[in-house]
Amino acid sequence: VTHAVPVAARLAGLPHIELHLLPGRGRPTTHAAVGTDTVAALHDLRADLAFLATNGISAGFGLTTPDRDEAATKRAIAGAARRTVVLADSSKIGVETSQRFAAIEDVDVLITDDGLAKEDRRALEKAGLEVVVA
């Protein structure tokens, strides 16, 4: 299940994948479905694992994006999952944009790169987030 058109395009036609593309307004910046239709479709779903990207993540404010519809959609995705993994390169750490979609305690794991500053890693781990540098 995805709201990201580029992800759906890569998975479409693979014989071992049953693909479900969520409805909604296509956001030009991210090529993802967002908005009330997307959130409504997520309301009745339960996923074992969700992978999310973010524009910013900080120990104090959580995960953010500058778009309200994107924030509502990501909030619904995280809410539908038993575990949430965030994929964010180190340039996103310490960044806060205008719309929070999850608090640190709503996320289970952050996967990032080795550019993560030691003090940022300590702050995120102290807030309860498992940090994986890949």
Side-chain angles (χ1 to χ4, degrees):
V1 177
T2 186
H3 77 301
V5 175
V7 171
R10 293 203 70 165
L11 297 175
L14 293 177
H16 58 286
I17 298 291
E18 181 180 319
L19 178 63
H20 295 267
L21 182 58
L22 294 169
R25 174 182 63 85
R27 185 166 175 239
T29 306
T30 60
H31 303 274
V34 297
T36 56
D37 292 336
T38 315
V39 172
L42 286 159
H43 179 72
D44 293 326
L45 289 178
R46 186 59 153 167
D48 290 327
L49 184 62
F51 290 93
L52 290 174
T54 187
N55 293 80
I57 180 171
S58 71
F61 194 59
L63 288 78
T64 59
T65 181
D67 185 86
R68 289 182 65 184
D69 288 339
E70 186 89 32
T73 299
K74 289 183 178 201
R75 189 175 304 114
I77 291 170
R82 287 183 176 87
R83 288 183 49 84
T84 301
V85 175
V86 173
L87 309 166
D89 66 75
S90 60
S91 72
K92 309 286 175 70
I93 311 302
V95 173
E96 296 176 354
T97 62
S98 63
Q99 304 295 313
R100 179 172 50 189
F101 64 87
I104 292 295
E105 56 267 16
D106 299 326
V107 177
D108 298 290
V109 179
L110 165 67
I111 299 175
T112 190
D113 61 77
D114 62 2
L116 177 64
K118 289 179 185 178
E119 59 273 8
D120 288 331
R121 182 176 187 156
R122 278 193 295 273
L124 291 168
E125 289 176 337
K126 184 177 179 184
L129 187 58
E130 178 184 348
V131 178
V132 175
V133 175

